[in-house]
Amino acid sequence: MVITRLGVDADSKISLLEAQIKAAKKVRADAKAKANAKKGEVVVTEDNILAGTDVWNLHGAVNRDLAIQHMYASNWRSGESTLVVARKNGAVEVVSKDSGESLYTFSEPEFNAPFSVKSNGKTISDRRYVGIGASDNHFITATNMGEVRYQSYGDDKQSDSAATLLRLQIDACKMRVHDKRASIFAVGGREQELTVWDAETAKSAGSSTEFSKPSGTPIFKSKNVGHDFLDMRVPVWITDMQFIDDNTTNPTIAVSTGYKQIRIYDAKAKQRPVHDWEVSKHLINHILVSHAKPELFFSDNEGNLQKMDLRTGRIIGGYKGIAGAVKAIALSEDGTKVAAAGLDRFLRVYEADGMHRMLHRAYIKQRVSQVVWDWEHRDVNQEEIDQLDADSIWESMPKLESSTEPKKKGSSKRKAIAVSED
């Protein structure tokens, strides 16, 4: 990679002033780091990268056509932990989480075929994936053209197994699957209301080899909110969604919009949102519902990562240090750490609660598109570390022999303790 500096010659006095300013900033940063170190706080520096990471280059040289657009952690048929990835060229690949070996590959036919469609005042001329999900035996994908494929893996790497091909509304922005059942998925987009489908029951009305409209009805379909204070229709722009509970019949879903809102839909209550909160000043890109607490993390296109209370809609914390839009968020298994990555090419790990300190930072060298937390390699929290240290101290202490001699009258309690310690 060649780095080129563009600009004009600066005056020597200005260069000297800039050098002095940089030196002063470095002195202040070093003093702050030493002060934090004395307090026992974690200090993040440029050299403090994530330890124990595995980097796999699955396609050789850098190739943007093989860029990963979406990723999902799942188990392979044999029980092996895998990552299911959707690539820019239309390929769906199952990769071993331990070795990086490709276990299965499927290419979407005519994914790169040229086309041009006008929708919502703009022209769509490229097809891209907006979501992926998987189970032990099936995977499900969705594109911005509303094409949903639910297909079994089959017996070999290029098997065209029986698939359910659904054609929904175009200009979709996001698709998410239910954590308990991969066939249930939610989808939404520009001028496209939230809909929840079951791919096993929503059979396509046409041929089994072509995308066609579903013959059944969705599990849930939302309605737009009422008109604004000017009695004008509110535009629809769903950017992300996630299932909150384990209910697959009448789910509760959190939705983010391109107009700064977080909305909560309850399929048991009504089609309109039961909560509608405006929580940001910018377009909300991604949301993540915590599995440990009734909290929701959300990020916008200005580098802001924040946390809100799902019960009240109140902002209860933010995470600093991110430059550029956040592309992905992930939460640890115990809910104590949150990872974020985006266009600034850094992967950052923060404390989910408390002071929201940055614990780790790693420069990835390329723009990060997806982050998945590996729950199988569990981190040991601080309480467990303290308990292990205490156990090792007790085990290393010599055992004292019990004394059978009778105690002398008048011996003080302090003296007895002193003798025992010798």
Side-chain angles (χ1 to χ4, degrees):
M1 179 175 64
V2 179
I3 300 176
T4 305
R5 177 179 293 177
L6 303 177
V8 296
D9 292 335
D11 188 80
S12 59
K13 294 183 179 179
I14 298 177
S15 300
L16 179 60
L17 180 61
E18 290 179 351
Q20 291 175 346
I21 292 174
K22 289 182 179 179
K25 288 183 177 179
K26 187 177 185 303
V27 170
R28 289 196 297 268
D30 292 342
K32 185 177 180 181
K34 291 179 181 179
N36 292 336
K38 290 180 180 179
K39 296 178 183 179
E41 296 181 359
V42 178
V43 181
V44 179
T45 64
E46 292 290 343
D47 298 330
N48 186 9
I49 62 173
L50 292 174
T53 56
D54 296 326
V55 180
W56 302 317
N57 198 346
L58 301 180
H59 51 76
V62 175
N63 188 346
R64 292 191 176 183
D65 291 336
L66 298 177
I68 296 175
Q69 295 180 336
H70 287 275
M71 182 167 60
Y72 189 86
S74 179
N75 290 326
W76 185 241
R77 292 171 297 191
S78 59
E80 182 178 359
S81 298
T82 58
L83 297 173
V84 185
V85 299
R87 298 190 180 274
K88 183 180 178 181
N89 63 352
V92 176
E93 188 175 359
V94 180
V95 181
S96 172
K97 193 186 297 182
D98 297 327
S99 62
E101 179 188 359
S102 178
L103 304 177
Y104 173 87
T105 302
F106 172 82
S107 296
E108 184 68 55
E110 300 182 0
F111 187 88
N112 297 312
F115 70 96
S116 180
V117 177
K118 289 187 177 181
S119 175
N120 301 317
K122 66 175 184 178
T123 301
I124 303 175
S125 58
D126 61 330
R127 186 178 276 104
R128 58 182 174 82
Y129 285 112
V130 296
I132 191 170
S135 62
D136 295 347
N137 301 310
H138 293 79
F139 71 88
I140 181 171
T141 60
T143 69
N144 59 332
M145 295 303 295
E147 300 159 339
V148 179
R149 174 182 292 271
Y150 179 69
Q151 178 172 307
S152 62
Y153 290 121
D155 297 330
D156 56 7
K157 290 190 174 184
Q158 295 289 345
S159 174
D160 289 333
S161 306
T164 299
L165 307 179
L166 306 177
R167 183 178 295 280
L168 306 180
Q169 189 174 343
I170 66 172
D171 210 355
C173 293
K174 188 69 175 182
M175 184 275 289
R176 288 255 199 175
V177 299
H178 201 288
D179 291 336
K180 300 299 180 182
R181 192 171 162 191
S183 63
I184 296 178
F185 65 94
V187 64
R190 285 182 178 267
E191 295 304 328
Q192 182 177 163
E193 289 289 350
L194 174 71
T195 53
V196 181
W197 297 85
D198 188 349
E200 294 182 349
T201 59
K203 301 296 183 182
S204 56
S207 171
S208 59
T209 59
E210 297 180 356
F211 292 98
S212 58
K213 293 183 178 180
S215 58
T217 57
I219 296 175
F220 173 75
K221 184 176 183 179
S222 66
K223 283 186 177 180
N224 195 9
V225 296
H227 291 188
D228 60 13
F229 67 98
L230 294 176
D231 199 25
M232 298 183 65
R233 176 186 175 274
V234 178
V236 178
W237 186 5
I238 295 177
T239 57
D240 200 358
M241 75 285 293
Q242 188 173 0
F243 293 92
I244 297 178
D245 56 7
D246 296 338
N247 193 332
T248 58
T249 305
N250 295 304
T252 304
I253 307 170
V255 170
S256 64
T257 73
Y259 302 108
K260 317 167 192 176
Q261 296 103 354
I262 298 290
R263 292 170 178 166
I264 308 297
Y265 290 90
D266 188 353
K268 295 181 293 185
K270 56 182 180 179
Q271 291 180 280
R272 287 191 168 93
V274 294
H275 295 294
D276 187 3
W277 301 304
E278 185 170 333
V279 296
S280 177
K281 296 181 181 180
H282 310 283
L283 181 151
I284 299 176
N285 281 333
H286 298 282
I287 61 174
L288 175 66
V289 177
S290 173
H291 54 272
K293 297 180 180 180
E295 297 172 347
L296 180 142
F297 300 86
F298 66 92
S299 63
D300 58 31
N301 60 348
E302 294 292 333
N304 299 310
L305 175 62
Q306 295 177 296
K307 180 175 64 173
M308 63 172 287
D309 192 330
L310 274 175
R311 297 166 294 187
T312 62
R314 184 174 62 91
I315 305 298
I316 56 179
Y319 305 86
K320 298 181 179 180
I322 304 174
V326 177
K327 301 293 291 183
I329 316 170
L331 194 64
S332 62
E333 184 179 11
D334 56 5
T336 59
K337 302 180 187 68
V338 59
L343 297 184
D344 63 353
R345 307 189 180 192
F346 275 95
L347 171 65
R348 296 177 173 87
V349 179
Y350 295 90
E351 287 180 334
D353 300 318
M355 298 298 293
H356 299 167
R357 296 177 302 173
M358 187 190 302
L359 302 177
H360 302 282
R361 181 175 61 178
Y363 186 60
I364 310 300
K365 299 183 180 180
Q366 297 180 5
R367 286 180 292 181
V368 183
S369 58
Q370 292 292 313
V371 174
V372 172
W373 201 293
D374 188 1
W375 285 6
E376 294 187 358
H377 295 79
R378 187 176 65 87
D379 293 337
V380 181
N381 57 37
Q382 189 61 40
E383 293 181 359
E384 293 174 327
I385 293 175
D386 295 340
Q387 184 63 39
L388 291 174
D389 292 341
D391 293 341
S392 62
I393 291 173
W394 282 107
E395 291 175 358
S396 62
M397 292 178 63
K399 295 182 179 180
L400 299 178
E401 298 180 359
S402 59
S403 178
T404 57
E405 297 181 359
K407 293 182 181 180
K408 297 181 180 180
K409 292 183 179 181
S411 61
S412 64
K413 183 177 181 181
R414 180 177 296 177
K415 184 176 180 180
I417 294 176
V419 170
S420 299
E421 289 179 352
D422 293 338

